[in-house]
Amino acid sequence: MIPHAPILAIVLPLFAAFLMPVVGILARRRGIKRAREWFAIAAVLVELVIVVSMLPVVWGEQILVYQLGGWQPPWGINLAIDGLNLFVAVIVAGISALVVIYSFVCMERDTGLDQYYTLLFLILAGMMGVALTGDIFNLYVFFEIMCISSYALVAFRRKWQSIEASIKYLIVSSLGTSFILLGIALLYGMVGSLNIAHLAQKLPLEPTSAIIVPLALFVTGFGIKIAMVPLHMWQPDAYQAAPSAVAALFSGATATIGIYAMVRVVYTLFGAFAIGIMLAALGLVTMVLGALMALTQRDLKRLLAYSCISQIGYVLLGIGLGTVLGVQGGLFHLFNNAIYKTMLFMIAGAIIYRVGTSNMDRLGGLWKNMPVTAMLFGVGALAISGVPPFNGFASKWTIYVAGIEAGQPVFTIIALIMSALTLAYFLKALNSIFLGQRPTHLKNVKETPLFMLFPIVLLAALCVIFGVLPQLGIDIVRPAQEALMNSGGYISAVLGGA
Amino acid sequence: MAGMTVIVRTIARLLFPFTFIFGAYIVLHGHLTPGGGFPGGVIIAASVVMLFLAYGIERAQKRVGFLHAEVLESVGGLAIVVLGLFGLLLGITFLQNVFPLGTLGQLFSAGNLPLLYLGVGIKVAAGLILIFYAMLFAFRGGEE
Amino acid sequence: MDFNYIIAMLLVALGLYCLLLKRNLIKIIIGLAVLTDGIHLFLISLGYRAGGIAAIVSGEMLSDLSGFAARAVDPIPQALVLTSIVINICIVAFALSLAIYSYRHYGTLDPSKLRRLKE
Amino acid sequence: MVSESVLFGPGFWGPVVATAALLLITAVGWLILIGGRRITKAKPSAGKIQTYACGETLKAEEAHVDSEQFFSTISRVFRPFYRYVRPGHTGVLSTYLFWVVVGLIIILAAIAVVLR
């Protein structure tokens, strides 16, 4: 492990964010082209190396506790990293690295890229902070950093779509974060501590009626971020209007962070494994609504956004079941969802880059022009619908089996039907975009640029690898699942191991 | 914006040094009295914005341009992060104090805390000026 | 009497009312600010102690630290509120600039007119 | 990694075996396709490639399925959903906020019921 890796993982993106305008100005003075892009790629790769370097330690059944300023918990702020934190951090760092590489070409026609990369690194710093911190107020602050940067990124192009989506997203999400703040205030008034482990220790083991209100406030606040029904309505607008690279980052990384924060607070902090059944039911509703709404969309990015809602429903269902298999399946599905949803948004971005629209009524027959992209889209569509031999099958199957084992066969049946609907709307998208007759104005569309294709191919390869070798994915997920189910270990590691 | 009348300009010009120094005082005494980087930075930004309003944006832009504010904001942020990394390199943890502590109640005391507040003050002042500029551009920026 | 808790909850309720029922973006943003301020008041009230002193150690306090700890108000909520105020300033500033932009694009501040993305 | 079969509940699923089988079947299908083309030569003409529209000539732009009505049969199965839930997605900000508050109340009630 790199020494001081936990704090470096948060500080490095911040450093890069503040350095970015300076780099941009210097590059313009000296006339160096694309300096900030290369700088961004270098920074994000270093970040990935830092995060990955923590893997061997944490997988060796250890919990890293890093005390800021040398103060011991519960007085000082600390970073506590167990399997779940690191699992999420690795997803976030990996997806961000691919998105930065993708932005190299995807965003080249935009102006004001200094601000774009600054915001991208701020959002990365916020996500890393949420993923690694062990302090509930710190979590809130980093969550807000992430949210504010994401509002700005949605509005980045300043067209009417972006402004409308961004202001809706801002107001809804700010209401959610103020709920979280209120929840933190209630908890502080009740217990008088802000450390997650300390709070978990001091809260009653059997949940009492006093904690219902803060628990509901937290679930609602984080539920807005992951677009749980009925708090999902901002999401299609935001994903449709955001630049494709940003939408890829949101669907892959930010949604993962939302799930992590919710699970951490509900399971570790409150120890409320009992409300898992509520999360599963909400996940079921989320899944059904997302799939049915996606079925009738005209815009590819809006369809993908609803599909994102639907997939988050699967994750909630798996995690909410609360059994070992269910949590494994849910987290594995979270991992897979980050892979193929990012990939599909990147393909949508490639189509917009070459054609200029993502309205499916104006597209058609593009496989003659972009055969590789069409094939990759097919891989993504099959993976997300849970068709073997791709990774979606393994995680969805785990969730189905977990549903039956937990004594909820109805959940499994509905999830199966929704999986079929997923395939249906992706076939529609495939048919409308790549098959059929090609309108004459699309005759001269070229294949996606190679540099843009590289992250997509990498993600597609991951789809196949985790589909053919699902045991590998389960092995990756297992430390996270064990960490999530073993909140006592977390508490004693943070409070006792100092 | 063309600027305001002579009365406003004169008073703004007379008031500016006092406001600015008051803000700087709050920033520098952040470790001794209530206040600190954020309120001080807001006061400094307010003094500059007052000049903007009195003299009109064109003249103000020559003094504190958009670019200046942007660079200053980055420098403030970098100062905070670099101070933290300093603690990481020389001390034990992030933001660990590495400077002499001094005596309690003196201006030059409390290790790296005043420097930290200075960084925060610069960042906040520049950031608020940037926000002011951004809103101004939103108002006047014509058709894209 | 704990008037400050009642007033904090009233402010939250007022903010929610503004958010839900006002038909003007600027008023909605004001509602958001009022709601957050209600939460801030709530947080500050948690750390308040009647007749307490500010939690700043000055020269003469050093000799009597335990007495200081017994009399000072809880500083943590104040730190939290300061952080939250800074965050809230960012949100409100950003929301107002977005409102300016949306007025330029749509010619209205009515949120029910901002629905072109739907179609 | 060795082709380790995974036991998911009752039953057997060997991912590597299944993938190999899928690839094999794809290859066989492709061979049949190629063989079929060998035996009967395709004779494409403009009339055969055109989408049939009762004798009318369609331009390529017009021969596109409307993506909203693409699955009208499935939408008919879920008719109550499309009649009652879909119009709820109005795109109006106040509706979003209303649903956030309603969601909070629902979650509050659900947690209260579950924890009792």
Side-chain angles (χ1 to χ4, degrees), chain B residues 32-34 38-39 42 104 128 131 134-135 137-144, chain C residues 56-59 62 82 85-86 89-90 92-94 96-97 100-101 104-105:
Chain B
L32 301 174
T33 52
F38 184 75
V42 172
L104 185 74
L128 282 179
I131 289 178
M135 286 193 165
F137 290 154
F139 262 122
R140 66 215 294 261
E143 293 69 43
E144 277 158 48
Chain C
I56 297 169
V57 184
S58 53
L62 262 186
L82 194 62
I85 286 174
V86 174
I89 283 176
C90 297
V92 170
F94 191 65
L96 285 175
S97 7
I100 294 169
Y101 272 112
R104 262 179 48 201
H105 283 300

Side-chain angles (χ1 to χ4, degrees), chain A residues 20-40:
Chain A
M20 193 61 73
V22 180
V23 170
I25 290 166
L26 280 182
R28 237 170 290 146
R29 285 270 161 82
R30 292 282 162 84
I32 310 167
K33 276 183 187 166
R34 311 219 134 211
R36 53 187 171 211
E37 278 90 345
W38 288 114
F39 174 70

Side-chain angles (χ1 to χ4, degrees), chain A residues 417-433:
Chain A
I417 296 172
M418 287 310 135
S419 194
L421 281 186
T422 309
L423 185 58
Y425 60 72
F426 271 104
L427 282 184
K428 176 184 102 173
L430 195 67
N431 180 54
S432 304
I433 296 166

Side-chain angles (χ1 to χ4, degrees), chain A residues 311-356:
Chain A
Q311 299 304 310
I312 288 296
Y314 278 97
V315 177
L316 278 179
L317 174 63
I319 289 173
L321 286 172
T323 57
V324 173
L325 207 58
V327 173
Q328 270 182 7
L331 290 176
F332 191 18
H333 199 73
L334 189 65
F335 182 72
N336 290 340
N337 180 43
I339 292 174
Y340 44 62
K341 199 44 72 62
T342 309
M343 172 183 156
L344 286 167
F345 267 112
M346 282 178 173
I347 292 173
I351 292 167
I352 293 176
Y353 181 84
R354 280 304 189 198
V355 182

Side-chain angles (χ1 to χ4, degrees), chain A residues 44 47-49 51-52 88-99 124 127-128 253:
Chain A
V44 87
E47 167 85 8
L48 187 61
V49 168
V51 173
V52 169
V88 171
V90 167
I91 293 180
V92 165
I95 297 291
S96 309
L98 291 176
V99 165
L124 180 56
M127 290 192 292
M128 275 295 154

